[in-house]
Amino acid sequence: MTAIPKVSVLIPSYNYARFLPTAIESVLRQDFTDYELIVSDDASTDGSADLIRALAAREPRIRPRLRSHRAGMVAHWNECLAAARGEYVKFIFADDCLTYRYSLGRLVSHLEDNAGAVLAISARLVLDEQAAPRELWDELKTPGLRRGPEAIARCLWHDKNLLGEPSAALFRRRAGTRGFDPQLRQLVDLEFWFHLLQAGDLYYDAEPICSFRRHPAQQTMQNRGAHVGPVESLRIAARYLDKAAPAWGVRTARFRQMQILHRCLHYSRKRAPRTPEIVAAESSLLARLPWPWHLACWSLHRCAKPFDNLGRYARRVQRRHRPAALPPHLRQWRAPLPPPTTARDGSFRARSGRDAPDAAPSPLASRLPA
């Protein structure tokens, strides 16, 4: 048995052969080298298994895991997590990548320097399907340490995953042994972050040291059409509302909880379709909101709404006249390995293209199957 690595890097993949070399390459070029790299395929039909076998035969740091039958997204993630041996776990989805050579080491340093933190997350550079940088996601803005309940409370208040996707996170394996909730499909990552943050704090890095790709084939886009997110958002709010109470203190916790309940119900009724699942989830939350509190929160919401609308309008005008631009060094960024193309004989060939400005010589450039 080899020595236990500091980090387990997990790349779960399903029908992402065209993106997979980029994700693997971004790990192999890291300055931090005390890691194991597990690349797992969930019975893909696009030749991913053959690609992984070929890359693993030429690169000994890759540990392939190839399923013969489909497990499904969440079960596949949990299988990868169960195979991890490192002190820390770093997921990188097959269509995402690490932005810089120092990305992995920097996330590790945040947890090493902050013993009370169980989760380190960074801003994300958003890429299009061709790996061109499009925008920067930096919802938390200010870098540094945050208490777990405060991070949970902020996400519940905004009814949004402000923390990010698994590709942007590093967490302590001992805190995540429960795994991802198999009952969820869309907000699986947010619920898992909340689960982790019950055991410790969050460290946020405002630099986009991870890159997240948006494209029509990703699971998020497919779930959106099925309205999976709204009902899961309500269920997560019901599950974790009490966990956020320490963020507000004894005097204001009850009031804040009632406000969050009212906001969740108000925006769910306003935006979500009236499916039986959503109505049932709303009824569960409504039972926790007594009518005096409902009336008080409704009155406050009505008073604050004109000011909220004015602020929203001002931000929209500002974006129209001064659209947010990526910093020059991010506009010039290129993926460490361009997505492969499929030759007529079914083999994979890498398209030519520039590496990232800080990239080391490509470990896989000469290892792609011909």
Side-chain angles (χ1 to χ4, degrees):
M1 177 68 69
T2 58
I4 296 177
K6 175 65 74 172
V7 181
S8 293
V9 180
L10 312 177
I11 304 182
S13 178
Y14 176 68
N15 283 343
Y16 277 167
R18 62 195 186 281
F19 301 134
L20 195 53
T22 300
I24 295 174
E25 167 75 1
S26 74
V27 177
L28 297 179
R29 60 196 277 268
Q30 291 297 301
D31 295 332
F32 182 90
T33 58
D34 188 6
Y35 65 81
E36 62 175 350
L37 175 56
I38 299 175
V39 183
S40 180
D41 179 66
D42 192 19
S44 294
T45 58
D46 66 344
S48 294
D50 293 336
L51 175 63
I52 294 170
R53 287 192 193 96
L55 296 179
R58 295 162 172 81
E59 175 49 70
R61 289 177 287 178
I62 298 175
R63 283 178 53 196
R65 292 176 57 86
L66 307 176
R67 291 187 54 84
S68 58
H69 300 286
R70 181 99 198 277
M73 183 183 76
V74 181
H76 190 207
W77 294 4
N78 284 332
E79 284 187 4
C80 292
L81 184 55
R85 298 181 298 128
E87 179 181 355
Y88 305 126
V89 175
K90 178 78 184 82
F91 272 92
I92 301 175
F93 291 163
D95 51 343
D96 301 333
C97 64
L98 297 171
T99 310
Y100 307 112
R101 290 204 310 268
Y102 58 78
S103 294
L104 187 57
R106 182 150 163 171
L107 286 172
V108 170
S109 70
H110 294 327
L111 293 187
E112 293 278 282
D113 296 342
N114 298 276
V118 294
L119 176 64
I121 282 190
S122 76
R124 288 90 74 210
L125 178 63
V126 181
L127 313 176
D128 63 16
E129 192 166 5
Q130 286 71 43
R134 292 303 178 193
E135 56 183 318
L136 177 65
W137 284 357
D138 178 25
E139 286 89 348
L140 294 182
K141 304 298 181 184
T142 306
L145 199 64
R146 288 171 169 80
R147 293 174 57 218
E150 292 175 356
I152 295 174
R154 188 168 177 181
C155 290
L156 290 176
W157 178 262
H158 291 280
D159 192 21
K160 184 180 180 182
N161 182 0
L162 301 174
L163 306 183
E165 304 74 28
S167 293
L170 178 81
F171 60 90
R172 298 185 190 273
R173 182 166 65 92
R174 60 172 170 77
T177 53
R178 187 211 68 174
F180 297 92
D181 186 345
Q183 301 301 316
L184 301 177
R185 293 168 51 196
Q186 175 70 30
L187 302 181
V188 188
D189 48 358
L190 180 62
E191 191 281 331
F192 187 64
W193 304 152
F194 286 2
H195 170 73
L196 292 176
L197 292 171
Q198 295 178 84
D201 298 331
L202 165 75
Y203 190 94
Y204 181 69
D205 192 323
E207 185 170 357
I209 54 182
C210 302
S211 296
F212 172 76
R213 194 189 307 253
R214 300 189 72 185
H215 57 91
Q218 63 189 164
Q219 190 66 43
T220 300
M221 299 298 184
Q222 299 175 26
N223 288 341
R224 188 168 296 168
H227 307 293
V228 175
V231 66
E232 291 187 355
S233 179
L234 293 168
R235 290 171 179 170
I236 290 173
R239 187 184 306 182
Y240 286 97
L241 187 61
D242 293 337
K243 311 298 182 183
W248 301 303
V250 177
R251 292 186 177 181
T252 60
R254 179 68 171 169
F255 173 58
R256 290 293 187 182
Q257 286 177 318
M258 295 300 103
Q259 278 191 301
I260 287 177
L261 283 175
H262 179 268
R263 286 171 62 88
C264 288
L265 290 167
H266 173 78
Y267 288 111
S268 176
R269 290 166 175 168
K270 184 177 179 179
R271 300 169 181 169
R274 314 313 298 156
T275 65
E277 294 81 7
I278 290 177
V279 172
E282 289 176 354
S283 299
S284 177
L285 283 185
L286 187 60
R288 300 174 60 177
L289 184 64
W291 71 264
W293 278 110
H294 192 289
L295 180 60
C297 292
W298 177 85
S299 301
L300 284 174
H301 177 79
R302 295 294 296 179
C303 291
K305 186 174 181 180
F307 301 98
D308 292 340
N309 290 341
L310 182 61
R312 193 176 299 111
Y313 173 76
R315 290 190 294 271
R316 188 162 58 245
V317 171
Q318 183 181 31
R319 285 195 298 267
R320 185 163 60 244
H321 291 284
R322 290 190 302 170
L326 287 171
H329 73 285
L330 292 179
R331 289 201 301 268
Q332 298 170 5
W333 184 89
R334 294 295 181 273
L337 190 68
T341 57
T342 306
R344 291 182 179 178
D345 59 358
S347 63
F348 290 86
R349 303 181 186 277
R351 293 202 295 262
S352 60
R354 291 184 295 158
D355 199 353
D358 65 340
S362 167
L364 285 180
S366 60
R367 294 181 169 88
L368 285 174

